[in-house]
Amino acid sequence: MIFSEHKKQGAKIGRAIKKTLLKGIAACPTNKKNKLLTAAINDPYVKGFVIYMSAMSIDMVFKGALWKKKKRIEFLIECWQELGIPMNSIHEFLRVIGDPIKEGIWDEGGQYSKGKNDAALVLTSAYGILNREAFQTDIIVKAQKRANDVIGNNPEVYSNSSKAATLSAAVCEITIEKHLKNHFTDL
């Protein structure tokens, strides 16, 4: 079991990403079984978000910067299987990671990059490592307002890590959930 801990971690990240994606399409009347819609999984924005969020989780969440390629791939496969992504699409995702030409093809219209950038904002806000420019973006300003509304009049109750997690959740709501609600609730 020790050797498969990274697979369990991949599945855990997959469940967290799935929960976020499901929040965004919860209002979809055709989604009675609470499953991710195939159209959503194939959306370039969602692909960028999922790939970046899962790949960066290896390094940021699990300190896996020194993991061997095989272990990283096994983590990603478990993560994406948890999302219900078919194996042929998983192979396609793996071919795209780190290949600027293939990413460029997926990025026609800029949605793939937008998904990646939004995933980066979610992760960097969770770890409190936003730079000065990021703090001035509309997304972060709106997210800080939401996070402050959640924290309310009890900021002393929240630790710095829970404040960062609250901000990260707000960033997620404003980005990926908004995208999904706008594109997939009327299918």
Side-chain angles (χ1 to χ4, degrees), residues 1-2 13-14 17 21 26 29 32-33 37 40 53 80 82 93 97 114 130 133 141-142 147 162 165 176 182-183 187:
M1 286 291 191
I2 291 174
I13 292 297
I17 294 171
L21 296 174
K32 302 291 185 217
K33 293 182 181 173
L37 304 171
M53 182 68 86
W80 297 336
E82 192 68 37
F93 279 27
I97 290 178
K114 185 166 177 17
L130 293 168
E133 294 80 31
V141 170
K142 288 177 187 175
S162 63
I176 184 76
N182 288 340
H183 290 88
L187 290 176

Side-chain angles (χ1 to χ4, degrees), residues 43-179:
D43 180 79
Y45 175 93
V46 174
K47 285 180 180 181
F49 187 90
V50 166
I51 289 172
Y52 192 85
M53 182 68 86
S54 52
M56 290 308 296
S57 292
I58 293 170
D59 298 332
M60 294 183 77
V61 178
F62 299 109
K63 313 275 190 266
L66 300 177
W67 287 6
K68 294 186 187 288
K69 185 177 181 177
K70 180 180 186 243
K71 188 173 182 179
R72 293 174 82 84
I73 289 172
E74 289 173 345
F75 174 98
L76 293 171
I77 289 171
E78 288 296 319
C79 178
W80 297 336
Q81 284 180 328
E82 192 68 37
L83 289 166
I85 298 173
M87 204 58 181
N88 61 337
S89 294
I90 288 174
H91 289 294
E92 186 179 5
F93 279 27
L94 290 170
R95 284 190 292 277
V96 169
I97 290 178
D99 185 334
I101 294 170
K102 290 179 182 172
E103 281 189 335
I105 293 167
W106 277 16
D107 200 30
E108 190 174 322
Q111 288 298 303
Y112 179 79
S113 289
K114 185 166 177 17
K116 284 177 60 174
N117 292 338
D118 287 351
L121 272 179
V122 170
L123 283 170
T124 56
S125 61
Y127 286 91
I129 53 175
L130 293 168
N131 62 30
R132 185 176 307 178
E133 294 80 31
F135 273 113
Q136 297 171 358
T137 63
D138 287 342
I139 292 170
I140 297 299
V141 170
K142 288 177 187 175
Q144 284 179 316
K145 184 178 180 324
R146 280 194 193 184
N148 288 338
D149 290 346
V150 169
I151 293 170
N153 294 328
N154 300 317
E156 63 279 351
V157 173
Y158 287 82
S159 67
N160 285 341
S161 63
S162 63
K163 287 177 185 176
T166 304
L167 176 62
S168 178
V171 170
C172 218
E173 289 171 10
I174 291 170
T175 58
I176 184 76
E177 292 175 15
K178 181 180 177 184
H179 176 84

Side-chain angles (χ1 to χ4, degrees), residues 23-32 37 39-40 43 177-187:
K23 279 185 185 178
I25 57 174
C28 180
T30 60
N31 194 21
K32 302 291 185 217
L37 304 171
D43 180 79
E177 292 175 15
K178 181 180 177 184
H179 176 84
L180 289 168
K181 283 177 183 173
N182 288 340
H183 290 88
F184 298 101
T185 57
D186 60 350
L187 290 176

